[in-house]
Amino acid sequence: MNDQANQQKNPTADEVKAMQQRQIALREQRRQEMEQTSFSTNAQGGALMQPRNGKELMDMANLMSSSGNMVRDFYRGNPGDCAALIMICQPYGFNPFMVSWKTYKASKSDDAPISFEGQLVNAMVNQSAPIRGRLKYEYEGQGDTRRCTVVGCDRETNEPISYTTPELKKIPIKNSPLWKGDPDQQLGYYAARAWARRHFPELLLGVYTREEIDEAPRPPRDVTPREAKPGGFAARAQAARQQAEPEDTQEHTDAAEDPTSDEQHTDTLDGEVLPDAEEDAAPDEQQGQERGGTPERSFEYDEGATAFRQGKTMTECPYDPEKDPASADQYEQWRNGWFDASEEADQEGGDA
């Protein structure tokens, strides 16, 4: 048995040779990929990947998708998304590795669209707009009446091209906490984006910020209760209710005769059957937070739902991916909890 174990542990000479050949082939493949990667320098002095044909594009996308922690998590192992990002970056002369950290999933759904930071959108406008120099910003008003005017000088006619935002209080979606902490910065982002969409819409085709995605109409939500999962809370409640129905009259009689009857037990038997989506939800929001969230929902999701019920707005989210990119997932989960709680409240209001 020891001889067999040694044979399994120590590879043979042929196996070692085969492993070495595979490593050599892999290095040669990587070398060929790098040979297909061309670098150029834009006005900012950055080394960028600029594919010249489809083969180079896919070679660069494969390289980018295998770059580990140097790109955002949803690009890892996903050469298709990497290829799309490289094509988006190419007209602006941007480095897709850097840009990947300025993009986010609009929600935690697998098919959620990619959103772009306001800072990145402004950089795209400054880099590609047909103007002389950069955009200039002017502010007027105070507090809720604050607004921003952005002006660019046309490169051909030398005429000023301007756009003025609505007043701060009239802007409907304000997801970032910076709308409270630094409203002038957010107004500047809003103004530059709207300026480009009005005067040069071709600059930002397919590029949307999180606020723009949230402003888009949502498809109708299917609120039809689904069949209860076997063994879930709803299934157990239904079984308890069905068992209690034949004895309903007797239970009420017993309860009337015995004032010390277990009120909690009666409530449990007659309790409302919850939709399937709520089966495993924690019975108490605070307990869910103390445990770090329910098994299906994270702590941040429960925290966002609680914030809505406490009357807080989206701008009061404690997570800011623009200041701390590592908090992007927490931000999305908090926001999803807030939105779901909002929709549930709307649904309950409609049912009432």
Side-chain angles (χ1 to χ4, degrees):
M1 292 182 63
N2 292 335
D3 292 341
Q4 292 179 354
N6 290 334
Q7 290 177 358
Q8 294 177 356
K9 183 177 180 181
N10 299 322
T12 64
D14 291 340
E15 292 174 340
V16 172
K17 184 176 180 180
M19 291 172 58
Q20 292 175 343
Q21 290 176 345
R22 286 195 296 270
Q23 291 175 353
I24 292 174
L26 182 60
R27 285 197 296 269
E28 180 61 25
Q29 179 182 353
R30 294 297 187 192
R31 188 177 296 110
Q32 291 177 1
E33 289 177 354
M34 293 305 298
E35 287 177 356
Q36 297 297 325
T37 304
S38 62
F39 295 89
S40 62
T41 301
N42 71 342
Q44 298 172 342
L48 312 173
M49 295 194 299
Q50 297 286 332
R52 295 170 296 181
N53 52 54
K55 181 181 183 304
E56 288 187 358
L57 172 63
M58 290 313 303
D59 287 344
M60 295 176 189
N62 288 326
L63 175 65
M64 184 176 177
S65 69
S66 62
S67 298
N69 292 332
M70 294 305 296
V71 295
R72 280 298 301 267
D73 52 354
F74 49 83
Y75 293 109
R76 299 167 195 165
N78 193 341
D81 280 3
C82 291
L85 186 64
I86 292 171
M87 288 189 289
I88 290 174
C89 291
Q90 188 173 25
Y92 306 103
F94 288 163
N95 186 329
F97 284 84
M98 299 168 62
V99 169
S100 75
W101 293 100
K102 293 296 181 180
T103 61
Y104 301 92
K105 286 268 193 172
S107 71
K108 62 181 179 181
S109 174
D110 292 337
D111 59 351
I114 301 298
S115 61
F116 295 74
E117 277 191 15
Q119 179 189 25
L120 174 60
V121 173
N122 273 29
M124 290 175 169
V125 174
N126 278 327
Q127 189 69 14
S128 58
I131 59 175
R132 297 180 183 276
R134 293 175 176 267
L135 296 175
K136 294 179 173 57
Y137 302 85
E138 300 174 357
Y139 295 89
E140 58 180 322
Q142 298 294 330
D144 288 342
T145 62
R146 188 78 162 167
R147 57 184 182 177
C148 175
T149 298
V150 62
V151 181
C153 185
D154 188 279
R155 186 181 300 164
E156 296 180 356
T157 65
N158 208 32
E159 295 180 355
I161 305 174
S162 64
Y163 172 86
T164 300
T165 69
E167 293 180 347
L168 186 60
K169 63 183 178 183
K170 295 181 180 179
I171 296 177
I173 304 296
K174 304 184 184 74
N175 286 337
S176 174
L178 288 178
W179 280 105
K180 282 194 172 182
D182 191 359
D184 281 1
Q185 183 68 56
Q186 294 301 111
L187 278 172
Y189 287 159
Y190 185 103
R193 182 180 74 235
W195 177 90
R197 295 209 186 280
R198 171 172 295 183
H199 300 292
F200 303 102
E202 66 276 12
L203 299 182
L204 299 177
L205 292 177
V207 175
Y208 298 98
T209 63
R210 188 178 290 109
E211 286 79 6
E212 290 177 300
I213 292 175
D214 289 342
E215 287 175 353
R218 295 188 178 188
R221 183 183 179 187
D222 184 4
V223 296
T224 305
R226 292 174 291 177
E227 184 179 354
K229 295 180 181 178
F233 175 79
R236 295 196 301 270
Q238 286 177 346
R241 191 165 190 168
Q242 291 171 358
Q243 182 180 1
E245 284 177 356
E247 304 175 0
D248 183 64
T249 303
Q250 182 64 35
E251 287 181 1
H252 282 291
T253 302
D254 294 342
E257 294 176 353
D258 184 5
T260 63
S261 61
D262 189 351
E263 182 179 355
Q264 182 178 0
H265 176 70
T266 303
D267 290 343
T268 301
L269 293 178
D270 293 337
E272 178 185 0
V273 178
L274 301 178
D276 180 64
E278 301 292 338
E279 286 181 6
D280 297 312
D284 181 74
E285 201 74 40
Q286 182 63 30
Q287 291 179 2
Q289 292 181 11
E290 292 173 355
R291 290 196 304 271
T294 66
E296 292 79 13
R297 299 172 178 176
S298 67
F299 167 77
E300 291 78 11
Y301 182 99
D302 288 343
E303 188 180 21
T306 301
F308 173 82
R309 296 186 182 103
Q310 292 175 347
K312 295 182 179 179
T313 64
M314 280 292 301
T315 60
E316 297 178 81
C317 175
Y319 308 103
D320 185 1
E322 294 188 1
K323 289 185 176 180
D324 179 15
S327 68
D329 292 337
Q330 294 171 311
Y331 174 86
E332 292 172 3
Q333 293 169 13
W334 191 98
R335 192 182 65 161
N336 287 331
W338 194 96
F339 274 125
D340 286 351
S342 173
E343 290 182 353
E344 289 174 5
D346 292 341
Q347 180 185 346
E348 292 175 359
D351 293 341

